[in-house]
Amino acid sequence: MSDSGAIGPAGAAPAASDGTTTRGSADSWRVTLPCTRAEAEAIDAASDLAIDAVLMTTEEVEDDVERWRLDAYMDAAPDAAMLAALAALVPSAAGTAPAVEQLTEQDWVTLSQQGLEPIREGRFIVHTSAHPIAADPAAGTRAFLIDAGRAFGTGHHGTTSGCLAMLDAMAIEGQRFAKAIDIGTGTGLLAFAALELWPAATVVATDIDPVAIDVTRDNAAANGVEGVTLIVADGTLDPAIVEAAPYELVIANILAGPLVSMAPELAAIAAPGATILLAGLLETQRETVVAAYTACGCTLQALDRRGDWTILRLSAGAERYVPAGPFDPKGRDGWALDI
């Protein structure tokens, strides 16, 4: 099953328009409607939906373009106007009564990810407290305890597991990095994996959502990970990130829209020839994302398809990219909802 946050993979901490994270509560509600993949992609691509709710789309039957689902999470019982606005997003559901559910005082991300079995990607095993691994990992294997909760990135979504596989493959190929940054770190998992693979590297993990940074800090302690620098930032727009540049490895597992919008700034912090690992995009969005980075001097080196999702590995240009003008904020609105 594939998911996307209101515009990106499921599991993202739900965020309000001001970027704060929305927790489940006795006053939280969910509205569910069936939809098609085309409708889900349209929701994913939108950056200006005037709907006061967190939207998530889920692929219910793998590779079935007709069997997707829209879930909308909100802080109050939906009124007729809200139900009409949601129905307008999914015309294929015309005539279907929406399922309306009041949620309990539990984090809705945790509810949506219960029962997650451990996953294995390369040398990594990722598991939750509810599903501990049976024995100590074999030599050369690293297990991470990442509970489903307030931030995206347990490793169970194809985008995150694909990034783990790509990182592991790069280490096997003999690539070495002295400085790495994980933009939109979520739970911190990809930053932890990078530090595990390249322990001498300086690793920075950033997220626009302060809650995600708190979660990453807790996960680092739970997994005995030390040395990852944590920064709350909107993309690269923080002096500490820019001053520490350039980075030899840039990871961004977020959304197609923000990935395109952030292409100049991600390319600008990349060292010449740096590896740029991108995820959170649907295969149908690949050409648009690749084009944005090609315009910044990057070259596509490899890709990994995971159902409808695609992970990209690019190489920065031989000379460090210098943006021609100020960064364009278009397309990055709401990127904390993601991948």
Side-chain angles (χ1 to χ4, degrees), residues 212-240:
I213 294 301
D214 290 341
V215 168
T216 296
R217 184 177 293 107
D218 293 343
N219 285 338
N223 287 281
V225 175
E226 298 181 353
V228 176
T229 300
L230 305 180
I231 301 174
V232 177
D234 178 358
T236 70
L237 306 184
D238 185 277

Side-chain angles (χ1 to χ4, degrees), residues 229-296:
T229 300
L230 305 180
I231 301 174
V232 177
D234 178 358
T236 70
L237 306 184
D238 185 277
I241 295 173
V242 176
E243 291 168 7
Y247 302 86
E248 297 164 337
L249 173 62
V250 178
I251 305 168
N253 179 20
I254 44 176
L255 287 174
L259 286 176
V260 170
S261 176
M262 294 178 186
E265 63 190 85
L266 294 187
I269 65 167
T275 295
I276 301 176
L277 185 60
L278 305 178
L281 59 138
L282 294 163
E283 170 61 17
T284 54
Q285 300 164 326
R286 171 166 57 93
E287 291 185 4
T288 300
V289 174
V290 171
Y293 286 81
T294 299
C296 298

